[in-house]
Amino acid sequence: MKTLHLLRVVDPVDDTYRRRMNRLLTVQESRHKPADPLPGRRRRPVTGPA
């Protein structure tokens, strides 16, 4: 089972398995991202000296 997984990940011809796995990891990472430390504040772009 591990061998098939590794072969699919490193397959140079068909990268659909690797892309699907990366997409799932990205979704999981965004779910575990820490919340905003100051909820309710408006995000403003950082600008230079006014």
Side-chain angles (χ1 to χ4, degrees):
M1 196 66 157
K2 284 184 180 180
T3 305
L4 290 176
H5 169 75
L6 289 174
L7 287 174
R8 286 180 182 171
V9 170
V10 298
D11 185 10
V13 177
D14 185 18
D15 63 347
T16 55
Y17 184 79
R18 185 168 28 106
R19 286 177 185 267
R20 184 174 37 178
M21 191 170 58
N22 283 339
R23 184 172 56 229
L24 289 173
L25 287 174
T26 302
V27 168
Q28 289 174 357
E29 288 171 356
S30 66
R31 286 183 187 156
H32 288 42
K33 191 168 81 169
D36 189 3
L38 300 173
R41 72 179 171 128
R42 294 184 181 187
R43 293 180 184 258
R44 292 183 287 154
V46 177
T47 59

